[in-house]
């Protein structure tokens, strides 16, 4: 037991380690990546033989965690919010099967889309699956919730959703750790068909889940994370969810908020406490990061009273993350800024690193596409998405992982020639392989460029499941070996790359081009690491 | 005491190392600390910032409210101006003057320096040059931290211990280079303040 300075993400990892976890499963994704990375680096986790290798995607991670839970052990699965879309089938059904060992599904949402395609709110998924949701307001609670979450899951025999947002995940503060709990022994579920969701059993399991709802409501009602602070001024009541509580308190440095506050950290909503604050106060302000999840539940469709204030009535902006100023404004506290940003300050968007292999393939692709016309290149999610920005302007889509290949297929079916996909190696093994199989199945004329930098670069350089096996996978899926072309993306091979691209773009069938050169970041890092210690390096 | 610090720079310039050193120094003095950082997309050569809050009382928000930062510490001149709405009226700007030019419309450096020097409370220094002088070329971030250290109410020895803890696993030589860089920055800053 010690005091550590931890990111919210790291606090969850440490809480899970101390809470008796036997395995963590995840695919990287900002802002969730650091949870698993922390376990991978933890000496304690290593000593306790906690599984922490990356999974191919969020769905495989969710399923592996469920399998570990089936065997009686405590497991955690982590992902970013859009990862839960990928894992949704397994996730929703895991509430029906229930668990054996405790299972925590940790999902990091990204309001304001610092590094994401959307700002969806995972609490809706938790409600949809009808399981308890925990939402910490600070790093200590993040630790505690992970530490205790396995027991909550085991108490009701269903998974628990732990929801955090970018700000908490990537902010550091002191965390007091607790005593290490032992891992569970290997046990099988009491009922051998608990996990068999044949309709006959699924109907029974679903009724069990419905019957549990009163109990998880009651648990929320009693939860220490749902706390009612009384206040003398009942003209306003404030409901704060998770981290919003901190922004609220920031506006009362002396901790003298005159209004009653309901601080929420566990869902389903605690009915009595919510009713109390709504009945006692003239107006109710709902502060929540993400979608108006609580606000919508309070504000019924037919209610025209205008009593509930929040994102839906414009008191708080409808989109984007909260901050102390937005919360202050909603309480009528003006923001006092002294300086504006001078006009001279230019935008500085992210860019492909100098020396990055994606640069070379985009240069070659742009030159080749001059002959074939514009707007025919579908792409995907990763560092290479920056090829959508100047000076390249090479790609025309980025939707969800794997979509480049299947969108190129659909466009080819519609008559687009050539129809091109640009995808990263890790994204390809995450969700591109089944898409390629669709193309092979119909021999659709598409050219798929797998820009292979042999890592998952965008999220910080985690190992890629694709490394060393891309050609085999493509040929195994049915691409003709002569149309799997490997290139070395370097300026000196520019003409050669253009030549190969031209050949494959005119081929009326499935072709895969693999420009392969290690990510400049991971290459530099491993060079530094292999150099003797004592060199002049700071990072 | 309560100090709100905005750290600014470009992804990869080492502002998180500054944050880590200050964090260690704060812990050694039993102060509360909250530090929010940027991971992900913008680390690829984009503008990055970190909010660092130190206090002897518990800190509520991970984010600094606008208009309340005591110092902006920047490892790049243009970036020192990007977060001005956060700076309080009498707040300080401590910034490196070596530009990091990775965009086509990067402003004229003299105009930038001019905009910075308009502030009554600022220390601007060529941290890259100072780092070279003390043969710690890669530690310009620690030069900037050194220049900012007089404005943070923590004993200097604690910053030194912070460097030892953060860089310790990279060996004694790296520790020493960073210590030298920080010291050079601090001396510059103290001299400059005496002149003002
Ligand atoms: C469903 C989902 N999971 C995770 C992410 C986060 N993510 C974005 S890009 C990326 C990695 C891409 O790696 P790769 O395809 O190899 O491209 P690179 O960044 O290396 O160029 C990840 C994990 C996401 N956006 N969506």
């Amino acid at each position: 037991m010690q005091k550590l300075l931890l990111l919210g993400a790291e606090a969850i990892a440490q809480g899970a380690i101390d809470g008796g976890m036997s395995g963590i499963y995840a695919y990287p994704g900002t802002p969730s990546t650091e949870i698993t990375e922390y376990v991978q680096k933890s000496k304690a986790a290593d000593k306790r033989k906690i599984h922490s290798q990356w999974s191919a995607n969020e769905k495989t991670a969710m399923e592996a965690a469920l399998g570990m839970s089936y065997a009686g052990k405590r497991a955690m699965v982590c992902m970013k919010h859009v990862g839960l879309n990928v894992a949704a089938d397994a996730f929703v059904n895991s509430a029906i099967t229930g668990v054996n060992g405790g299972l925590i599904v940790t999902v990091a949402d990204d309001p304001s889309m610092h590094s994401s395609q959307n700002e969806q709110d995972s609490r809706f998924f938790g409600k949809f699956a009808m399981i308890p949701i925990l939402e910490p307001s600070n790093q200590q609670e993040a630790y505690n919730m992970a530490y205790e979450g396995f027991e909550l899951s085991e108490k009701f025999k269903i998974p628990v959703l732990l929801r955090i947002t970018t700000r908490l995940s990537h902010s550091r503060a002191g965390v007091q750790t607790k005593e290490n709990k032992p891992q569970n022994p290997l046990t099988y579920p009491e009922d051998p068909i608990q996990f068999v969701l044949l309709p006959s059993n699924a109907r029974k399991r679903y009724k069990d889940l419905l019957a549990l709802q009163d109990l998880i409501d009651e648990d929320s009602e009693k939860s220490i994370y749902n706390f009612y602070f009384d206040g003398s001024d009942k003209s306003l009541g404030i409901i704060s969810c998770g981290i919003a509580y901190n922004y609220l308190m920031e506006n009362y440095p002396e901790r003298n908020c005159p209004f009653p506050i309901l601080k929420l950290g566990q869902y389903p909503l605690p009915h009595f406490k919510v009713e109390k604050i709504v009945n006692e106060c003239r107006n109710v302000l709902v502060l929540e990061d993400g979608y108006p999840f609580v606000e919508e539940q309070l504000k019924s469709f037919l209610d025209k009273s205008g009593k509930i204030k929040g994102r839906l009535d414009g008191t708080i902006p409808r989109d984007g993350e909260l901050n102390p100023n937005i919360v202050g404004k909603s309480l009528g506290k003006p923001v006092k800024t002294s300086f504006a940003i001078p006009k001279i300050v230019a935008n500085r968007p992210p860019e492909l690193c100098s020396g990055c292999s994606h640069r070379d393939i985009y240069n070659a692709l742009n030159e080749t596409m001059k002959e074939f016309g514009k707007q025919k290149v579908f792409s995907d999610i990763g560092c290479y998405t920056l090829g959508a920005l100047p000076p390249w302007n090479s790609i025309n889509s980025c939707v969800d992982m794997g979509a480049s290949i299947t969108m190129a297929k659909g466009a080819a079916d519609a008559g687009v020639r050539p129809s091109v996909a640009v995808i990263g190696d890790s994204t390809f093994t995450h969700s591109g392989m089944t898409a390629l199989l669709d193309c092979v199945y119909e021999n659709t004329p598409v050219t798929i460029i797998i820009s292979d930098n042999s890592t998952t670069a965008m999220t910080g350089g985690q190992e890629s499941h694709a490394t060393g096996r891309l050609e085999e996978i493509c040929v195994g899926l049915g691409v003709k070996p002569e149309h799997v072309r490997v290139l070395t993306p370097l300026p000196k091979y520019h003409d050669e790359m253009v030549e190969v691209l031209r050949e494959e773009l005119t081929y009326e069938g499935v072709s895969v081009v693999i420009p392969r050169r290690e990510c400049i970041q991971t290459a530099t890092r491993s060079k530094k690491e292999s150099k003797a210690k004592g060199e002049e390096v700071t990072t | 005491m309560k100090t709100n610090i905005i750290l600014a720079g470009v992804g990869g310039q080492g502002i998180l190392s500054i944050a880590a050193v200050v964090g260690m120094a704060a812990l050694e003095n039993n102060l509360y600390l909250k530090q929010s950082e940027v991971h992900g997309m913008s680390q690829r050569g984009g503008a990055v910032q970190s909010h660092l809050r130190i206090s002897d009382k518990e800190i509520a928000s991970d984010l600094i409210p606008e208009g309340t930062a005591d110092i902006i510490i920047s490892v790049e001149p243009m970036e020192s101006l990007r977060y001005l709405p956060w700076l309080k009226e009498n707040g300080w700007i401590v910034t490196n003057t070596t530009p990091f030019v990775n965009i086509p419309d990067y402003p004229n450096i003299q105009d930038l320096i001019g905009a910075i020097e308009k502030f009554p409370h600022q220390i601007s220094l060529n941290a890259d040059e100072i780092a070279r002088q003390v043969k710690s070329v890669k530690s310009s971030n620690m030069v900037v931290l050194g220049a900012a250290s007089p404005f943070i109410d923590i004993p200097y020895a604690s910053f030194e211990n912070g460097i030892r803890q953060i860089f310790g696993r990279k060996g004694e030589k790296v520790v020493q280079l960073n210590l030298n860089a920080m010291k050079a920055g601090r001396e510059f800053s103290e001299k400059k303040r005496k002149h003002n």
Side-chain angles (χ1 to χ4, degrees):
Chain A
M1 279 167 285
Q2 46 183 335
K3 187 138 192 185
L4 302 171
L5 186 58
L6 298 177
L7 293 176
E10 297 171 342
I12 288 173
Q14 186 65 47
I17 294 169
D18 294 341
M21 172 173 75
S22 297
I24 189 163
Y25 293 88
Y27 180 75
T30 316
S32 70
T33 313
E34 295 78 10
I35 305 170
T36 307
E37 287 185 331
Y38 183 90
V39 180
Q40 290 171 344
K41 286 183 209 137
S42 156
K43 289 202 181 84
D46 187 45
K47 218 164 67 203
R48 308 182 104 210
K49 299 201 163 49
I50 297 176
H51 173 280
S52 62
Q53 293 284 317
W54 294 111
S55 304
N57 67 33
E58 293 84 357
K59 177 173 179 284
T60 65
M62 176 76 219
E63 290 154 349
L66 188 62
M68 182 168 268
S69 156
Y70 174 95
K73 306 257 184 182
R74 294 178 168 179
M76 180 179 275
V77 51
C78 306
M79 61 198 77
K80 68 182 292 168
H81 57 345
V82 288
L84 190 51
N85 300 338
V86 176
D89 201 4
F91 172 72
V92 175
N93 285 313
S94 72
I96 314 284
T97 62
V99 306
N100 184 21
L103 174 59
I104 302 178
V105 182
T106 303
V107 184
D109 292 353
D110 189 17
S112 277
M113 305 178 229
H114 298 281
S115 310
S116 308
Q117 312 104 287
N118 72 31
E119 57 174 33
Q120 68 184 66
D121 187 325
S122 300
R123 294 176 300 172
F124 282 92
F125 257 122
K127 188 172 190 301
F128 185 46
M130 291 186 257
I131 60 174
I133 307 168
L134 300 172
E135 186 183 16
S137 71
N138 58 37
Q139 292 76 358
Q140 184 67 54
E141 280 186 3
Y143 175 90
N144 295 352
M145 286 175 173
Y147 184 79
E148 298 155 5
F150 295 115
E151 266 136 48
L152 183 61
S153 168
E154 283 165 9
K155 180 157 99 182
F156 297 118
K157 290 279 174 201
I158 49 176
V160 168
L161 178 70
L162 176 54
R163 185 238 189 188
I164 53 169
T165 54
T166 306
R167 214 40 83 174
L168 180 61
S169 182
H170 289 168
S171 172
R172 229 175 263 283
V175 172
Q176 185 68 48
T177 66
K178 298 175 200 275
E179 193 176 294
N180 228 311
K181 288 184 201 163
Q183 293 181 34
N184 285 351
L186 186 75
T187 59
Y188 293 94
E190 257 168 53
D191 173 4
I193 62 160
Q194 179 191 330
F195 286 78
V196 184
L197 295 186
L198 273 169
S200 58
N201 194 44
R203 275 181 224 120
K204 179 183 158 301
R205 298 284 324 163
Y206 182 50
K207 279 194 199 305
D208 292 346
L209 177 62
L210 291 174
L212 265 183
Q213 297 304 304
D214 282 347
L215 300 179
I216 66 172
D217 278 349
E218 196 184 307
D219 200 81
S220 246
E221 201 71 64
K222 289 190 295 207
S223 168
I224 51 164
Y225 299 115
N226 293 333
F227 198 85
Y228 192 95
F229 299 91
D230 208 357
S232 54
D233 184 348
K234 307 275 199 263
S235 63
L236 186 70
I238 301 169
I239 298 179
S240 76
C241 306
I243 198 170
Y245 179 73
N246 305 347
Y247 301 143
L248 174 61
M249 283 301 111
E250 186 67 30
N251 281 283
Y252 297 99
E254 307 304 321
R255 300 292 154 104
N256 57 352
C257 177
F259 311 116
I261 300 169
L262 176 56
K263 174 179 185 286
L264 290 183
Q266 183 174 338
Y267 311 83
L269 283 178
H271 282 262
F272 292 107
K273 285 178 179 147
V274 170
E275 252 176 60
K276 180 175 154 71
I277 197 162
V278 174
N279 289 338
E280 270 181 11
C281 301
R282 195 158 69 231
N283 287 314
V284 175
L285 173 66
V286 184
L287 301 174
E288 51 191 329
D289 234 342
Y291 287 4
F293 172 76
V294 172
E295 192 182 345
E296 268 183 1
Q297 292 182 64
L298 299 193
K299 199 168 177 165
S300 78
F301 192 65
L302 297 175
D303 175 36
K304 298 274 183 290
S305 71
K307 177 170 181 160
I308 309 295
K309 312 281 180 197
R311 290 189 186 267
L312 293 172
D313 74 338
T315 305
I316 305 276
R318 181 62 181 77
D319 61 340
E321 71 174 328
L322 296 176
N323 62 41
N325 296 113
I326 288 174
V327 171
K329 272 186 216 153
S330 74
L331 294 162
K333 292 175 177 258
V335 181
K336 285 177 254 140
T337 54
S338 305
F339 310 103
I341 306 172
K343 286 212 176 60
I344 191 171
V345 176
N347 252 347
R348 197 188 307 254
E351 57 164 13
L352 290 172
C353 307
S354 77
C356 168
S357 63
H358 297 320
R359 286 177 173 245
D360 298 316
I361 188 65
Y362 279 134
N363 286 337
L365 181 63
N366 279 357
E367 179 165 340
T368 318
M369 289 308 288
K370 273 189 206 150
E371 303 162 30
F372 296 98
K374 287 187 178 358
Q375 287 185 270
K376 296 168 195 271
V377 183
F378 300 88
S379 191
D380 233 295
I381 308 189
C383 284
Y384 53 93
T385 314
L386 295 169
L389 306 178
W392 288 283
N393 307 308
S394 304
I395 59 172
N396 306 104
S397 78
C398 159
V399 181
D400 66 87
M401 291 188 77
S404 58
I405 298 178
T406 358
M407 283 181 72
K409 179 188 190 305
D413 292 344
V416 173
R417 292 289 183 285
S419 192
V420 186
V422 178
I423 188 169
D425 52 307
S426 179
T427 304
F428 176 71
T429 45
H430 176 288
S431 287
M433 299 191 311
T434 45
L436 177 57
L437 190 57
D438 274 355
C439 299
V440 166
Y441 179 69
E442 294 184 56
N443 197 29
T444 314
V446 288
T447 300
I448 297 155
I449 300 171
I450 308 179
S451 191
D452 179 10
N453 56 5
S454 307
T455 190
T456 317
M458 182 87 267
T459 44
Q462 297 76 19
E463 275 172 32
S464 162
H465 282 35
T467 303
R469 47 179 78 92
L470 272 180
E471 294 93 306
E472 252 178 294
I473 290 173
C474 295
V475 171
L477 286 171
V479 183
K480 296 201 176 80
E482 64 272 26
H483 290 288
V484 176
R485 313 282 298 265
V486 180
L487 304 174
T488 305
L490 278 171
K492 61 179 170 183
Y493 301 125
H494 178 81
D495 294 344
E496 193 181 318
M497 287 196 285
V498 171
E499 194 49 45
V500 170
L501 282 172
R502 187 181 294 124
E503 280 170 31
E504 297 306 332
L505 286 174
T506 43
Y507 167 62
E508 271 286 310
V510 184
S511 57
V512 175
V513 178
I514 307 175
R516 173 175 297 135
R517 180 159 65 78
E518 193 188 348
C519 162
I520 197 80
Q521 293 281 344
T522 57
T524 320
R525 201 184 311 156
S526 47
K527 216 194 267 168
K528 268 186 192 169
E529 274 162 16
S530 59
K531 265 192 186 175
K533 274 193 171 182
E535 289 293 314
E536 222 177 83
V537 281
T538 66
T539 47
Chain B
M1 72 72 88
K2 183 167 165 219
T3 309
N4 287 332
I5 304 168
I6 303 269
L7 293 167
V10 180
Q13 278 196 306
I15 68 166
L16 292 185
S17 298
I18 300 183
V21 172
V22 180
M24 283 295 166
L27 277 198
E28 188 177 281
N29 290 275
N30 288 318
L31 295 167
Y32 287 97
L33 171 92
K34 279 204 173 177
Q35 182 227 326
S36 95
E37 39 189 72
V38 176
H39 296 205
M41 194 89 176
S42 32
Q43 280 178 300
R44 298 270 164 278
V48 290
Q49 57 163 329
S50 166
H51 288 204
L52 183 56
R53 315 190 72 187
I54 310 163
S55 172
D56 52 9
K57 289 202 203 69
E58 216 175 318
I59 302 161
S61 167
D62 300 79
L63 292 173
I64 298 172
E66 288 183 28
T68 69
D70 299 280
I71 324 169
I72 291 174
I73 302 178
S74 181
V75 291
E76 206 280 344
M78 182 170 78
E79 297 308 318
S80 75
L81 299 170
R82 194 181 298 282
Y83 308 100
L84 280 175
W86 272 265
L87 193 64
K88 71 176 190 193
E89 203 179 342
N90 291 316
W92 280 82
I93 299 176
V94 179
T95 184
N96 186 4
T97 54
T98 310
F100 187 95
V101 182
N102 63 345
I103 47 170
D105 54 344
Y106 193 91
N108 178 298
I109 181 67
Q110 287 318 321
D111 295 347
L112 270 180
I113 307 273
I116 295 165
E117 285 179 346
K118 270 209 283 217
F119 283 83
H121 295 135
Q122 55 86 22
I123 303 273
S124 33
L125 71 171
N126 189 338
D128 288 52
E129 177 54 33
I130 294 174
R132 252 191 306 277
Q133 282 165 13
V134 295
K135 299 191 172 54
S136 311
V137 268
K138 296 206 172 134
S139 309
S140 60
N141 56 345
M142 290 300 130
V143 175
V144 179
L145 171 59
S149 62
F151 304 101
I152 308 171
D153 194 8
I154 289 178
Y156 187 67
S158 296
F159 290 111
E160 294 178 323
N161 289 339
I163 285 187
R164 287 189 190 100
Q165 286 188 50
I166 298 298
F167 297 104
R169 66 188 170 83
K170 291 185 176 168
E172 187 47 38
K173 192 173 164 209
V174 174
V175 168
Q176 202 51 50
L177 287 169
N178 280 286
L179 285 173
N180 295 348
M182 181 167 73
K183 184 150 163 273
R186 185 171 173 101
E187 280 166 5
F188 179 95
S189 176
E190 285 180 333
K191 233 186 275 162
K192 184 150 176 187
R193 271 207 302 164
K194 260 185 223 133
H195 281 290
N196 282 358

